[in-house]
Each structure stands twice: as C-alpha cells, then as structure tokens.
Amino acid sequence: MRLLFAGTPEPAVPALRALLESPRHEVVGVLTRPDAPAGRGRRLVRSPVGALADEAGLPVLTPARPKDPEFLDALRELAPDCAPVVAYGALVPRVALDVPAHGWVNLHFSLLPAWRGAAPVQAAIRHGDEITGATTFLLEEGLDTGPTYGVVTEAVGERDTSGDLLGRLARSGAALLVATMDGIEDGTLRAVPQPADGVSHAPKVTVADARVDWSAPAVPLDRLIRSTTPDPGAWTEFRGQRLGLGPVTPVRTGETDLKPGELRAEKKRVLVGTATVPVQLGEVRPVGKKAMPAADWARGVRIEAGESLS
C-alpha cells in the first residue's frame, strides 16, 4: 500500500523505520509537527520523525494545523491508501481522515479502552498496572475511541521508568503496526469496536503534576517519580531552589523515624521521609547542573540535621 506516515517524537521512529523496511508497503510521505526551537540557542530543530524522513529522502509535511488547505491539497496529491499514525501530536480533522481509502490507523501505547489520551505509559506506571501494551485502531474524531485491529502486551517491571517502558512498546508496537498494514492490505483484518467497559483516561502530564508531595506514602511516590522519568521530570525544592529527581527506592528496613520530606545524609546514601517508609534518593539534578548521585550532592551542600525537601 501507499502510506503517509504521521508521527513526531522519538518513540514513533521505530514504527517509521519498520514501515520503510517493509517490502510490501511504500511510504510516500511523512506528516510531522513543525520544526521547534530547542537548546540554549533556541534554533529550530526537526522532529525525530522528520529527521529520519529527511534521511530517507521522503517528502515531509509540517503544517501548523492538519486542516490547512495547503496540507489537504498535498495529502490528496500523495494519494495514500492508508495513513499510519504514531504520536503525531495534533487532532486530524474529518476532511483529512476521509482521504485515504483505508483511513488513518493509530498505534496507541495502551490496551484500549484503558488509558486513552496523551500519556498512557505514564498513567500505567503511576497507577501500578502490572500489564500494559499497544493497540492499533482506526482513527476517528473522538479521542482514541475508534475500533481496534490488534494488540501486543507488555509486562510493567517493578523499576520501569516511563522511558524504559515506552522504549520497549515502541519496538513491539512497530511490529504490530506493520502487521496491521499487512492485514488491511490482505483484507484479513477487520476493526472491532472497543468495549464500553474499562475506559480510563491519561491526560498530558505537566511539570506541576511532576512535583513530589512528600506527605504521600512511599509506594505512590516511587511510581510518580518513575512515571515522570525522563519527561517531564520529577522535582522538589531544597533551600528554595528546584531540585530534579531521578527514580528513588523505598527503604524496607523499618526506618520510619523521618518526617515527610526530612533528609538524612549518610556516607553512601540519602534518605527522605514520606508518610510511610523513607525512600533513598538516586540521582538528583540541581538547577544549572548535570545529574549526580544523591550522596555526592549531599556532601556538596552539607545537609544540616532536620533539613527537608519541600
């Protein structure tokens, strides 16, 4: 089939690469979000998907909105049979959905109808799911509501960050997306409506959502921090300045004499009190500095008795 691939961030790259390597399909163009400013110089940078498309010599479409007349004209000229989508980052209007004969097929990183929305992997970790996965479905105007073609499952590890889990799902999901394209071309796949039960939502995680409240129990704190690693990054405050946090480890030795947020710096570890057991800090990232082991940070700032993270 002739395919227009739509995607933007790094987790969409394995799917585009898999489709480019497929002998059965031809990627005739790529739709991605416009180049965005990045780095200290704030220079415009191509999205990871756009960069791979450039390497492959493909036409790259970067409309501000997918309803722009210029994009719709280009879409019709490319005449794709189907448009596979992975984390494109904008809603596709009906007028565009109707162009490919086989529609737009989205790869979503959850087992739909669970965790519809922008942050399904973060939600799965934060809520303690033991199993998640990826789903291919026919894109509709509703938010991740379309009928499904196929799924793959993935176990959520006890120490997985969202980056770890998303990396695995991006690879297994890429294979699922290629298999879905094959089945649609063969006529062996039919989309099945999502069940009405089990619907949950995973809205975008903001920087404010990633702030740690030390009055919570250790287990949900651990999940929150892992779910926001690496993006947008968990954080707290120390002496009035933001302190970035890498994953922590709940302490299981019965040490419960620290108040929520209270610090204890030891020779090789730094503990923080919670509503239950303390947690051991992993890496921390002070403002303007690179991430470092918490014990090294603690020696540098010379934590005083009774000091806390807020």
Side-chain angles (χ1 to χ4, degrees), residues 141-179:
E141 290 181 281
L143 181 63
D144 303 332
T145 58
T148 63
Y149 286 105
V151 300
V152 291
T153 59
E154 182 74 37
V156 182
E158 287 187 2
R159 305 308 307 156
D160 270 343
T161 65
S162 62
D164 297 332
L165 183 55
L166 186 55
R168 297 201 304 274
L169 288 172
R171 294 188 292 273
S172 61
L176 172 64
L177 187 60
V178 173

Side-chain angles (χ1 to χ4, degrees), residues 133-258:
T135 306
T136 48
F137 71 96
L138 185 64
L139 203 63
E140 297 179 337
E141 290 181 281
L143 181 63
D144 303 332
T145 58
T148 63
Y149 286 105
V151 300
V152 291
T153 59
E154 182 74 37
V156 182
E158 287 187 2
R159 305 308 307 156
D160 270 343
T161 65
S162 62
D164 297 332
L165 183 55
L166 186 55
R168 297 201 304 274
L169 288 172
R171 294 188 292 273
S172 61
L176 172 64
L177 187 60
V178 173
T180 300
M181 294 296 105
D182 293 348
I184 290 173
E185 183 181 45
D186 294 340
T188 57
L189 272 183
R190 294 290 183 270
V192 177
Q194 294 184 33
D197 296 331
V199 175
S200 53
H201 297 277
K204 182 179 179 179
V205 179
T206 67
V207 172
D209 295 330
R211 183 172 187 171
V212 174
D213 177 3
W214 299 104
S215 66
V219 169
L221 281 179
D222 167 41
R223 292 174 179 168
L224 168 66
I225 294 170
R226 288 188 291 111
S227 75
T228 54
T229 300
D231 184 46
W235 62 282
T236 185
E237 286 190 353
F238 176 71
R239 296 177 183 170
Q241 290 194 321
R242 182 175 296 193
L243 182 69
L245 299 172
V248 300
T249 305
V251 175
R252 306 183 188 279
T253 59
E255 300 174 71
T256 59
D257 58 335
L258 292 176

Side-chain angles (χ1 to χ4, degrees), residues 90-112:
L91 294 177
V92 181
R94 170 55 58 190
V95 65
L97 291 175
D98 290 339
V99 172
H102 294 289
W104 297 58
V105 176
N106 194 73
L107 172 65
H108 184 74
F109 296 119
S110 80
L111 299 176
L112 290 172

